[in-house]
């Protein structure tokens, strides 16, 4: 059976949980205490030298790190990762966009806000907020033209970008300013269905939140 090395408040981990659920793939969970340094322990960095969750450990013991790489691995051969060359490239375009423009911007601001780290990172906050606004505006323009990011159907691109962008309000962005994003959030939420909670950092007593 697959093993997901996970940290519940992580939206990167959330993406993988959602896809495993949608594909009805059985797996075991191994929770990683990141604030206690477990992600930098020797056994964990053997799976992911970067020392970050999530990691999907395969039946043979090998591991796949980086949430979007895990999504692509799991979605292979399903409609969530199209076989058509152009549509697959569009999915990849948005996966790269997510890791460059969404997770390190909105994801970082959200983490700092929810764990009381905003003040200590104050020098970077203004730049992150400007970048976040540009990111949301780009998404809104794109989603004004198509119901989902790579066409007419849900793909792993939508799951990846939804993970942090639909929580942008947690760090001060007003999603009501982006009507196309708001409509898309509803479509993705309906396609995913219930059963995938967003866990607060407060469930981890060591998070500082």
């Amino acid at each position: 059976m697959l093993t997901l090395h996970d940290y519940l408040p992580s939206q990167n981990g959330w993406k993988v949980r959602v896809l495993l659920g949608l594909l009805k793939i059985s797996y075991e969970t191994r929770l990683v205490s990141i604030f206690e340094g477990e992600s930098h322990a020797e056994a964990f960095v053997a799976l992911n030298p970067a020392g970050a969750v999530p990691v999907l450990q395969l039946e043979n013991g090998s591991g796949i790190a980086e949430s979007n790489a895990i999504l692509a691995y799991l979605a292979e051969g399903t409609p969530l990762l199209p076989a058509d060359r152009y549509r697959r490239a569009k999915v990849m375009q948005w996966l790269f966009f997510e890791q460059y423009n969404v997770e390190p911007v909105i994801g970082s601001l959200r983490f700092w806000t929810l764990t009381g780290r905003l003040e200590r990172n104050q020098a970077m906050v203004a730049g992150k907020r400007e970048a976040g606004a540009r990111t949301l505006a780009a998404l809104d323009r794109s989603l004004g033209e198509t119901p989902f990011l790579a066409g007419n159907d849900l793909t792993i691109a939508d799951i990846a970008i939804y993970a942090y962008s639909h929580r942008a309000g947690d760090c001060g962005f007003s999603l009501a300013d982006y009507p196309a994003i708001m409509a898309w959030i509803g479509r993705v939420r309906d396609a995913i269905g219930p059963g995938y909670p967003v866990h607060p950092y407060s469930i981890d007593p060591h998070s500082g939140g």
Side-chain angles (χ1 to χ4, degrees), residues 167-186:
R167 306 300 302 185
D170 291 343
C171 51
F173 293 100
S174 174
L175 288 174
D177 295 337
Y178 305 96
I181 292 178
M182 288 294 290
W184 167 78
I185 285 173

Side-chain angles (χ1 to χ4, degrees), residues 71-93:
L71 295 186
Y73 175 83
L74 291 171
E76 185 67 44
T78 79
L80 292 165
L81 182 58
D84 174 78
R85 188 177 181 183
Y86 173 76
R87 289 197 63 220
R88 178 178 284 243
K90 292 300 288 185
V91 169
M92 294 300 170
Q93 169 192 317

Side-chain angles (χ1 to χ4, degrees), residues 39-178:
S39 61
H40 297 289
E42 183 177 351
F44 189 82
V45 297
L47 290 172
N48 179 12
V53 293
V55 173
L56 185 69
Q57 190 170 9
L58 308 183
E59 292 89 340
N60 65 6
S62 57
I64 302 172
E66 299 298 329
S67 57
N68 290 349
I70 297 171
L71 295 186
Y73 175 83
L74 291 171
E76 185 67 44
T78 79
L80 292 165
L81 182 58
D84 174 78
R85 188 177 181 183
Y86 173 76
R87 289 197 63 220
R88 178 178 284 243
K90 292 300 288 185
V91 169
M92 294 300 170
Q93 169 192 317
W94 288 111
L95 294 181
F96 297 146
F97 178 92
E98 191 272 342
Q99 283 293 285
Y100 188 80
N101 294 285
V102 179
E103 193 274 343
V105 177
I106 295 171
S108 292
L109 281 172
R110 179 175 180 268
F111 174 73
W112 296 343
T113 300
L114 298 182
T115 61
R117 290 167 167 79
L118 203 61
E119 186 62 34
R120 74 180 72 172
N121 292 287
Q122 195 60 45
M124 293 182 282
V125 168
K128 294 278 189 186
R129 291 203 185 282
E130 290 176 8
R134 289 195 301 271
T135 292
L136 292 170
L139 279 173
D140 201 62
R141 286 193 297 271
S142 296
L143 289 165
E145 301 173 355
T146 181
F148 294 99
L149 288 167
N152 293 323
D153 303 298
L154 182 82
T155 68
I156 57 172
D158 300 286
I159 296 170
I161 289 187
Y162 178 91
Y164 280 106
S165 64
H166 90 287
R167 306 300 302 185
D170 291 343
C171 51
F173 293 100
S174 174
L175 288 174
D177 295 337
Y178 305 96

Side-chain angles (χ1 to χ4, degrees), residues 3-79:
T3 300
L4 180 62
H5 296 257
D6 198 1
Y7 174 67
L8 291 180
S10 167
Q11 289 301 99
N12 282 325
W14 182 91
K15 303 173 195 174
V16 179
R17 281 173 246 141
V18 167
L19 185 57
L20 286 164
L22 292 178
L23 297 177
K24 296 179 169 52
I25 297 174
S26 297
Y27 68 100
E28 296 179 343
T29 299
R30 168 72 172 83
L31 296 180
V32 180
S33 300
I34 62 171
F35 286 102
E36 294 183 289
E38 190 176 352
S39 61
H40 297 289
E42 183 177 351
F44 189 82
V45 297
L47 290 172
N48 179 12
V53 293
V55 173
L56 185 69
Q57 190 170 9
L58 308 183
E59 292 89 340
N60 65 6
S62 57
I64 302 172
E66 299 298 329
S67 57
N68 290 349
I70 297 171
L71 295 186
Y73 175 83
L74 291 171
E76 185 67 44
T78 79

